[in-house]
Amino acid sequence: MALVAARDEEGRVGDAVRALRALPHVAEVVVVADGCQDRTAEEAREAGAKVLVPPCPLGKGRALEGALERLAPAPVYLLVDADTGESAGEAARLLAPVLAGELDCAVGALPPGGGGFGLVRALARLAVRRLTGVELASALSGQRALTSAALQAARPLAPGYGLETAMAVDLLRLGFRVGEVPVRMRHRATGRDLRGFAHRARQALDVLRAVAPRAVGLR
């Protein structure tokens, strides 16, 4: 099952759904259209996805957690961001080591680039290293494949943009095999304007909120 997080991704989500549906090991694509004010939900549905729309904006982590509560379990999951568009098909590279039994969680390592300064990525990387002793450069990546056992072990998913970092910490602490896999995915870069800085600030705050209870042994 491919689970796609989307917020206002009209013009990209349809391409992402079609690319994922074309993968041989993906039986279903589910798009969680959280807080969308455009045609994201309609476009995803037209492309062949099952679409879930929360009654109010929940944030990424809670929206995906709510979707998992409503969906039948699957043996393997793909978590993909809608803004990857047609490059979402690169998720096949993430599925391969999980289906082969080599990894429990394959994290997509995207090519260098983006509109930010890398500060939030560095924060997530530092948090994982401090809490687990493992260097995971792409701890913030929203593109990953994982077994059902690994996903269940990481639930409930941390709220907001902290879910990926928290998931990495939880799985590594529990002894699951987590590894990075290079993928040629592209996503919509966050600009260096006021809106972009506000987005990165939310990301950083969510990461800190996710790792704080794990740092003091409350999770």
Side-chain angles (χ1 to χ4, degrees):
M1 176 190 296
L3 195 56
V4 181
R7 174 170 289 187
D8 292 338
E9 293 297 346
E10 180 182 352
R12 298 178 183 85
V13 68
D15 290 337
V17 169
R18 284 185 285 271
L20 291 169
R21 292 187 68 216
L23 300 182
H25 297 290
V26 174
E28 184 177 31
V29 178
V30 179
V31 171
V32 185
D34 177 52
C36 296
Q37 299 180 357
D38 60 4
R39 293 191 69 259
T40 292
E42 292 82 357
E43 184 178 311
R45 196 173 289 114
E46 291 165 2
K50 177 177 181 176
V51 178
L52 301 179
V53 182
C56 62
L58 299 176
K60 185 178 182 182
R62 288 199 174 105
L64 291 178
E65 177 64 28
L68 290 169
E69 291 175 355
R70 298 173 57 184
L71 296 169
V76 174
Y77 291 84
L78 269 177
L79 302 184
V80 179
D81 292 335
D83 66 351
T84 56
E86 64 183 11
S87 71
E90 280 284 295
R93 297 176 181 269
L94 302 176
L95 279 172
V98 175
L99 292 172
E102 298 166 359
L103 289 175
D104 301 303
C105 178
V107 178
L110 277 66
F117 300 98
L119 297 178
V120 185
R121 289 193 297 273
L123 173 64
R125 181 177 183 174
L126 175 63
V128 172
R129 185 172 68 243
R130 287 288 182 87
L131 296 178
T132 70
V134 175
E135 188 70 35
L136 194 66
S138 302
L140 199 65
S141 173
Q143 330 312 323
R144 52 192 64 196
L146 64 168
T147 64
S148 178
L151 181 62
Q152 295 307 318
R155 294 181 64 190
L157 300 180
Y161 297 108
L163 80 95
E164 289 93 0
T165 308
M167 178 184 291
V169 171
D170 292 344
L171 295 184
L172 287 167
R173 282 179 162 180
L174 291 169
F176 285 93
R177 297 165 299 169
V178 180
E180 295 178 280
V181 177
V183 291
R184 294 190 296 268
M185 283 180 168
R186 303 175 302 278
H187 63 85
R188 178 166 48 87
T190 304
R192 297 186 179 185
D193 53 12
L194 184 60
R195 183 176 180 180
F197 286 120
H199 173 72
R200 284 187 282 274
R202 287 194 299 272
Q203 279 187 308
L205 186 57
D206 285 348
V207 169
L208 290 172
R209 285 173 172 167
V211 301
R214 290 162 172 84
V216 297
L218 297 180
R219 171 64 193 258

